[in-house]
Amino acid sequence: MKTLYLDLVGGISGDMFLAALIDLGVSEEALNHELQKLGLEGWRIRTESRNVQGICGTHLDVLTPHDHDHDHGHSHDHDHGHEHDHHGHSHSHGHSHEHGHSHSHGHPHEHEHRGFTEIRQLIESSALSAWVKGRAVSIFLKIGTAEAKIHGKTLDTIHFHEVGALDSIIDIVGACIALELLGKPRLMAGHPVDGSGFIHCAHGKMPVPVPATLAILGARGVTLSQCEEDSEMITPTGAGILAEFVELFGPMRGIAAEKIGYGFGSRTLKTRPNMLRAVLGASTASAERAHDWESDRVELLQTNLDDTTPELLGHVLERALELGALDAWHTPIQMKKSRPAVELSILCDASQLSLFADLLFSETGTIGVRHYPASRFKLARQRMEIQTEYGVIPVKVSRSGSKILNAKPEFEACRALAKAQGIPLRELLSLAEKEAMRLLLPPEK
């Protein structure tokens, strides 16, 4: 199976990702042909060859009507994934919010605003492949969920500025098309590193990493580090691409490079080249699998108890979950001399092993705790909030690849709301699930 390794030398953005894949060999003509299936007008992709610190690569801009009017041969270097809080106002800030993306022209950018539902319908009603549709919608879902949480809105009420803008749609859908044109390789990437300090936007100073980038990677469980670079290096669109496609983060291992592509931004970074390096080749890694599942490693702690009470067992389970256990349960067993007993189990992150061992020793009186490392497969999960006629309900969404498998409303939230509204809990649970699936699934044709 082919593997694509993303070397995040200078970070990642939507335009740098597209530039790197075009430099790798993706046909710009084929990419444009597929993007035309969206039925959108007023955009074009402009690429040019560049040499940065002795390395030849590609720089890319997605130009929209505003840019066409002001295209005097200089580069705006748009990353149309920098989505933080541009809802309901013109794009008039003057900072370079991507790798050289300077908007110090003194006039606003009038981008069209679109919400998640409109974007999903636009993509799903196109003639693009089912794979591209599913992955593109999933990226927008990740970004939209992060933005909604940051701004105190629900997914179906938030209206993106940058994410809903024409150039952002081209970036995100284009990224999925480019990967399909490469044969849908397995993706790996280096550990994400962002800059520090602040960027300026219409709402004032915003810390780097910007909130959406931090939330998108955090929701996937991807660790993020900062460096001394006083600049944004990973944009929300870049974070969305990483969260959607990358199976494993870390140093390059076991890849025989067949093709290498470089995608450049325009800004000169102080500490490193402003590039994204994409390496395509055959992988010797044993982790190749037929299913698009996520995986991680956890710890399982267990102890046998023959002298405890049901009330104490319930207390320990509740306490374990309060402290952040992934799960906790007890199982009836039979110990020596045929004594009835229970096996108490706690599943947790490896970093919490000592915490839960101490809990078992102090709360149960046991004199021994077993623990085992375990690898697990898990479906990709997200948390979203939906608006119903009775109020806002949090929902957990799980999927395999681009396929939505289920949307489960938070039980406790529904129970509290049902009680407050005086309606049957079962009715509210059903309503919430149907509304969530309506937002997530493609419209019927």
Side-chain angles (χ1 to χ4, degrees), residues 211-251:
T213 292
L214 203 57
I216 293 164
L217 293 178
R220 167 68 198 278
V222 179
T223 58
L224 178 66
S225 302
Q226 288 180 287
C227 68
E228 64 277 18
E229 189 68 45
D230 186 20
S231 175
E232 180 190 30
M233 296 168 58
I234 299 178
T235 66
T237 290
I241 291 170
L242 294 177
E244 175 65 21
F245 291 111
V246 176
E247 297 180 17
L248 182 66
F249 291 89

Side-chain angles (χ1 to χ4, degrees), residues 144-413:
T145 300
E147 291 286 351
K149 184 176 182 180
I150 290 165
H151 302 303
K153 298 180 180 292
T154 58
L155 183 64
D156 54 335
T157 59
I158 194 170
H159 277 74
F160 307 81
H161 180 75
E162 287 284 2
V163 175
L166 175 61
D167 39 25
S168 296
I169 294 172
I170 298 301
D171 267 348
I172 292 172
V173 177
C176 300
I177 292 171
L179 286 173
E180 184 176 56
L181 291 172
L182 278 179
K184 296 184 284 191
R186 174 183 185 232
L187 260 69
M188 301 170 64
H191 292 297
V193 177
D194 206 347
S196 55
F198 299 88
I199 60 168
H200 295 273
C201 69
H203 293 270
K205 285 188 174 181
M206 184 169 293
V208 176
V210 297
T213 292
L214 203 57
I216 293 164
L217 293 178
R220 167 68 198 278
V222 179
T223 58
L224 178 66
S225 302
Q226 288 180 287
C227 68
E228 64 277 18
E229 189 68 45
D230 186 20
S231 175
E232 180 190 30
M233 296 168 58
I234 299 178
T235 66
T237 290
I241 291 170
L242 294 177
E244 175 65 21
F245 291 111
V246 176
E247 297 180 17
L248 182 66
F249 291 89
M252 191 186 311
R253 290 190 180 93
I255 298 176
E258 298 172 4
K259 295 181 180 179
I260 305 172
Y262 295 88
F264 296 131
S266 349
R267 177 184 297 176
T268 300
L269 299 180
K270 298 176 183 178
T271 62
R272 64 205 68 208
N274 189 5
M275 68 172 65
L276 171 66
R277 178 163 60 179
V279 181
L280 182 67
S283 173
T284 59
S286 60
E288 292 179 4
R289 56 184 183 268
H291 298 282
D292 186 21
W293 298 329
E294 295 179 1
S295 63
D296 63 1
R297 294 184 65 81
V298 294
E299 287 282 341
L300 176 63
L301 295 89
Q302 294 180 328
T303 187
N304 296 350
L305 304 169
D306 62 358
D307 58 353
T308 189
T309 66
E311 292 84 0
L312 182 59
L313 281 173
H315 166 72
V316 175
L317 294 183
E318 289 178 6
R319 185 63 182 144
L321 294 173
E322 288 174 357
L323 291 173
L326 299 172
D327 205 352
W329 65 95
H330 58 78
T331 308
I333 60 171
Q334 182 174 298
M335 294 177 61
K336 59 187 178 182
K337 299 182 181 180
S338 300
R339 294 197 305 269
V342 295
E343 182 181 64
L344 183 57
S345 303
I346 297 177
L347 193 67
C348 70
D349 186 86
S351 63
Q352 297 178 300
L353 183 59
S354 296
L355 171 67
F356 288 110
D358 181 67
L359 174 71
L360 291 175
F361 283 127
S362 61
E363 291 283 5
T364 70
T366 184
I367 60 173
V369 175
R370 304 179 298 278
H371 69 92
Y372 314 95
S375 298
R376 64 173 182 169
F377 291 128
K378 59 181 182 178
L379 297 175
R381 287 168 286 182
Q382 287 179 252
R383 188 178 184 275
M384 60 183 287
E385 292 184 338
I386 60 168
Q387 181 70 50
T388 72
E389 58 185 295
Y390 300 107
V392 176
I393 298 175
V395 176
K396 288 182 180 178
V397 180
S398 61
R399 63 178 178 82
S400 179
S402 60
K403 184 179 180 181
I404 302 293
L405 296 184
N406 61 66
K408 186 176 182 181
E410 292 279 10
F411 182 82
E412 293 299 332

